[in-house]
């Protein structure tokens, strides 16, 4: 049995658009922070059976969820050189340390953990960069979860996607932790895959978004390198709102914000207007994620809990890279 674990990540500069959907090739780069509190632990066992099996948080997966895992495992098997191993199917047992239904980037930690496990099980011998490109086949954001801390994803230029991989950004002194605002009313949002493809095809703002991301990446890396947290906050928030503006401009528009999202965004901006080093971002769902220095995140999280629609606040420090154990 192979046991692996990976943490989810939240993007400071977002990925929103694929240049090649079949290989999950992103149109642009992106930049994220890996988060310790959002972790998937996976056990993978090779079996003799006719098909892959998957249990997520104790629930047997079927239909589209299982197909997604199985076609990911097919990618690994296709490059496995041992004929006996290649025939073996996998029994995958995954557990999330956080509610998977809440749409909290569980595909990032899930496919990163599965990529390192499949790499070991099928003896692929991929290095970390190649593992990141493999995880990308499961979900674009999973490519970043192979690494810990601040991570930069490259869009790459190769048609086969071998250079569409992430790498850790070294030497950053600015430490950030996160407070994630989870609401009580969890409606099923449009998936990121569907939302970004619909946006790319129909939003009149999409070309402008793609150009802006490249500028935001440069500016965000500069702000991180110089620990300029207030400057970083402006870039991170503007980038998030531009992504959502792009999605809202799709036809029909995709709206991920809930009333609670807008309330929490306002709260973060109020706090910053009186000098608090805090910034918000929002992924393809209603949850606001506030980033602030570790010493400040506790009271900021408490301030963001002061709304009757809040179910819970998840606090997280930065997380490490995906890991593996064989026994
Ligand atoms: O790779 P996916 O399907 O999890 O898409 C990620 C999309 C966003 O979370 C909205 C942005 C990002 O870069 O993580």
């Amino acid at each position: 049995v192979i046991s692996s674990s990976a943490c989810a990540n939240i993007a400071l500069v977002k990925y929103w658009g694929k240049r090649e959907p079949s290989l999950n090739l992103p149109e642009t780069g992106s930049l994220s922070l890996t988060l310790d509190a959002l972790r998937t632990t996976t056990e993978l066992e090779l079996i003799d059976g006719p098909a892959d099996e998957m249990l997520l948080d104790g629930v047997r997966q079927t239909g589209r969820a299982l197909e997604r895992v199985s076609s990911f495992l097919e990618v690994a098997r296709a490059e496995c050189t041992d004929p006996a191993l290649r025939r073996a199917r996998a029994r995958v047992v995954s557990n999330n340390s956080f509610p998977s239904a809440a749409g909290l980037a569980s595909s990032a930690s899930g496919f990163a953990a599965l990529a390192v496990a499949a790499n070991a099980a099928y003896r692929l011998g991929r290095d970390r960069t190649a593992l990141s490109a493999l995880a990308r086949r499961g979900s674009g954001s999973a490519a970043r979860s192979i690494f810990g801390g601040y991570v930069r994803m490259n869009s790459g230029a190769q048609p086969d996607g071998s250079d569409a991989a992430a790498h850790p950004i070294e030497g950053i002194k600015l430490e950030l932790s996160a407070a994630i605002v989870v609401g009580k009313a969890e409606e099923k949002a449009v998936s990121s895959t569907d939302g970004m493809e619909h946006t790319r095809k129909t939003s009149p703002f999409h070309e402008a978004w793609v150009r802006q991301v490249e500028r935001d990446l440069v500016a965000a890396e500069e702000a991180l390198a110089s620990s300029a947290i207030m400057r970083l906050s402006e870039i991170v928030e503007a980038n998030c709102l531009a992504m959502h503006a792009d999605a809202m401009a799709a036809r029909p528009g995709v709206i991920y914000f809930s009333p609670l999202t807008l309330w929490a965004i306002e709260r973060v901006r109020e706090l910053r207007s009186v000098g608090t080093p805090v910034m918000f971002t929002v992924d393809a769902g209603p949850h606001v994620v506030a980033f602030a220095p570790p010493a400040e995140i506790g009271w900021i999280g408490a301030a963001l809990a002061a709304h009757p629609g809040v179910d819970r606040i998840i606090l997280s420090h930065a997380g490490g890279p995906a890991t593996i154990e064989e026994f």
Side-chain angles (χ1 to χ4, degrees), residues 9-16 18 24 30-32 68 105 107-108 138-142 144 191-193 196 243-244 282-285:
N9 67 80
I10 299 288
L12 299 169
V13 176
K14 307 287 189 200
Y15 147 58
W16 195 248
K18 300 181 205 280
N24 259 347
S30 54
L31 195 164
S32 61
R68 198 169 164 195
S107 69
S139 111
S141 55
R144 299 185 307 238
S191 75
S192 49
T193 299
M196 71 174 79
M243 179 200 115
H244 285 277
V282 187
D283 280 345

Side-chain angles (χ1 to χ4, degrees), residues 115 135 217 324:
L217 282 168
I324 180 109

